[in-house]
Amino acid sequence: MDLPSVLPGRADAWMDALPQAVLLFEAGVDALTVMRVNAAATRLWGVPQERAAGRPLLEVVRRHTLEALAERGGELELEAGGRTLRCTAIRAAPGQPGALIVEDITAHRRREAELREATAVLSHEFRTPVTGLRGVLEALEYDMPQGLAQSFVRQGLQEVERLARLVEDLAVGFRPTRARTLPLAEAFARAERLLAPELAARGTTLTFGADHLVRADPDKLLQVLLNLIENALKYGPPGQPVEVATAPRGSWVEVAVLDHGAPLEGTEGLFRAHTRGPHATGQGSGMGLYIVRSIVQGWGGQAWTERRGERNAFCFTLPGGAGIG
């Protein structure tokens, strides 16, 4: 039984039920001629069956790319009107119609992009505890007083706990934030301890502003601080001090990481995913500041950068109260 013989009646119903746009055509003397379009094809090209039947295929699809695909057969992806379309064509044969099948895969491609971005974010978040563990293990290779060794072991266990929480998040999805009230000094002390080897190697000093009570996920707050301070160490002049300033802003607390780097241009774009500054060198994912803004916005705050005198200031806000230091 050939396909034209089953087109009327019940075939119309199952074709119209398909989510893909289907256009059946035959090879005419001068052009491909439309025989049938289903409901999805009518929505896609805006031409109902009664107007499409008998017209040249190009007049219905209005793209030479699709006409050429129908003539030769095969597959391609097409960007049209902000959508991604997967197009498949079966050539017409003697006595048999050809078919052009178009599937909207925009949502699928968007999910793929979101997965790639989530993977980049997770790899960046894993980097911090892994770096901390490496430093601890390298230190424990050497003989040292028992008290100091125990301090390194405690630090390593903290990083193992952070890794365990990240693994749990991977297994069950991103859980609600583990926010609690804590003094900023607690996060500052953790950051300074983790960054001590890099500070010593660069001959740089790191100072912190007044303490404040804040409400945040301690690990996320540490992630923000480490990203911003590491950026300041990496892109600021060697040996120049880095300051972490704090200030109350009503019911919020502002934290600013200040360095002596060159003035920045297009600062808003720095917070986009996979974006690096014009003076960035070496390898990098371009995800650091994007992660910072995502975390800060997650607790309702803001993240931005500005020039303060002779220094660059990378700032963020988080829920807090009155200073306690």
Side-chain angles (χ1 to χ4, degrees), residues 183-267:
L184 267 176
E186 178 183 316
F188 290 164
R190 290 181 67 189
E192 187 173 27
R193 189 167 56 246
L194 288 170
L195 293 168
E198 188 171 358
L199 290 167
R202 294 178 178 272
T204 300
T205 60
L206 176 63
T207 58
F208 296 94
D211 197 5
H212 297 266
L213 281 175
V214 296
R215 178 84 180 168
D217 182 319
D219 289 340
K220 295 298 185 184
L221 175 55
L222 178 64
Q223 183 78 22
V224 169
L225 288 170
L226 289 176
N227 274 325
L228 295 182
I229 297 171
E230 285 177 339
N231 272 359
L233 294 173
K234 188 182 298 182
Y235 301 119
Q240 291 293 321
V242 173
E243 179 187 357
V244 182
T246 63
R249 296 285 183 261
S251 61
W252 294 80
V253 173
E254 177 187 294
V255 179
V257 177
L258 299 107
D259 65 66
H260 291 265
L264 298 172
E265 298 178 0
T267 54

Side-chain angles (χ1 to χ4, degrees), residues 42-72:
T42 294
R43 292 192 295 271
L44 177 63
W45 291 304
V47 182
Q49 166 63 17
E50 57 271 20
R51 289 178 51 203
R55 294 178 65 181
L57 181 144
L58 181 61
E59 290 185 12
V60 174
V61 301
R62 299 186 294 279
R63 282 184 177 269
H64 288 284
T65 304
L66 290 179
E67 181 188 40
L69 180 67
E71 289 175 345
R72 69 173 186 271

Side-chain angles (χ1 to χ4, degrees), residues 300-321:
Q302 296 179 309
W304 73 97
T305 183
E306 62 189 26
R307 189 72 175 172
R308 294 186 181 178
E310 298 299 316
R311 297 186 292 178
N312 294 317
F314 287 83
C315 315
F316 66 95
T317 56
L318 67 167

Side-chain angles (χ1 to χ4, degrees), residues 20-24 45 69 86-90 99-103:
Q20 299 90 351
V22 179
L23 181 152
L24 301 180
W45 291 304
L69 180 67
R86 179 186 289 141
C87 310
T88 304
I90 303 170
L100 180 62
I101 304 165
V102 179
E103 181 181 6

Side-chain angles (χ1 to χ4, degrees), residues 266-282:
T267 54
E268 182 60 28
L270 295 176
F271 288 91
R272 299 193 187 103
H274 307 293
T275 300
R276 304 183 70 202
H279 304 297
T281 57

